[in-house]
Amino acid sequence: MRNRIVGALLSGAAGLACSGAGSGSATTEDDIVAVARLMVTLDRIQAEEDLEAFLQLVSDDAVYMPPNEPAVVGKRAIGDWYSTFYGLFDMEITHEPLEVDVAGDYIIHRGNARGTMTPADGGSTLSFENKYLMVIKKRPDGSLQVWRAIFNSN
């Protein structure tokens, strides 16, 4: 499992982020700011390894698609995947947003991410540089949740 996760995270970041300009006609500055805040929160949660806080930002029917692995379907399975990851690595991540596009209650967000992963057992720190695409759901209360995420190495 560790080798699969190392490969997945070297090929793609688990974290996701944004603050870039939207290119969709329905995208507002408020949407861009909301996505930027979500991404900053996800980055902080990754660094703190706070699984419960992370899962609050993931929709029940979410799908994550890490490289070289099957899709991880549903909040529970995504929680299990991250629980294993948090047991193996400490991660620092920084995001470079490229696009934010809104379509109704969904936000499509694309960007790049860079960071490091340090094995919990004290091994050598590994660097990564990734690209990602996320679909984020706008909830009726105005909050955002990750609905789909795919990531891979640059």
Side-chain angles (χ1 to χ4, degrees):
M1 177 73 164
R2 180 180 178 157
N3 287 339
R4 275 191 7 209
I5 291 176
V6 169
L9 294 190
L10 286 177
S11 298
L16 314 160
C18 177
S19 64
S23 60
S25 61
T27 305
T28 68
E29 192 67 31
D30 288 344
D31 294 322
I32 294 168
V33 169
V35 171
R37 287 182 178 149
L38 175 64
M39 296 305 120
V40 167
T41 300
L42 285 170
D43 288 351
R44 178 184 49 77
I45 288 168
Q46 285 291 347
E48 294 172 357
E49 299 179 3
D50 187 343
L51 185 60
E52 293 306 314
F54 173 74
L55 291 176
Q56 292 300 311
L57 300 175
V58 174
S59 69
D60 291 337
D61 60 345
V63 177
Y64 275 48
M65 294 175 276
N68 305 315
E69 291 190 41
V72 184
V73 180
K75 183 185 278 195
R76 179 174 289 202
I78 292 166
D80 291 345
W81 194 90
Y82 275 94
S83 180
T84 299
F85 171 74
Y86 289 155
L88 296 173
F89 299 100
D90 293 316
M91 185 170 71
E92 297 294 326
I93 190 164
T94 304
H95 290 87
E96 176 193 0
L98 300 175
E99 290 181 62
V100 175
D101 293 295
V102 176
D105 290 336
Y106 294 90
I107 300 171
I108 296 102
H109 168 60
R110 179 178 72 90
N112 291 319
R114 293 179 186 180
T116 59
M117 297 183 329
T118 303
D121 66 6
S124 297
T125 297
L126 308 167
S127 296
F128 61 86
E129 184 175 331
N130 312 323
K131 59 185 159 283
Y132 62 88
L133 182 70
M134 297 173 56
V135 180
I136 300 165
K137 277 187 181 180
K138 290 183 183 181
R139 298 177 65 198
D141 67 2
S143 65
L144 302 178
Q145 284 189 317
V146 178
W147 183 57
R148 301 289 189 262
I150 186 168
F151 43 95
N152 207 337
S153 175
N154 278 336

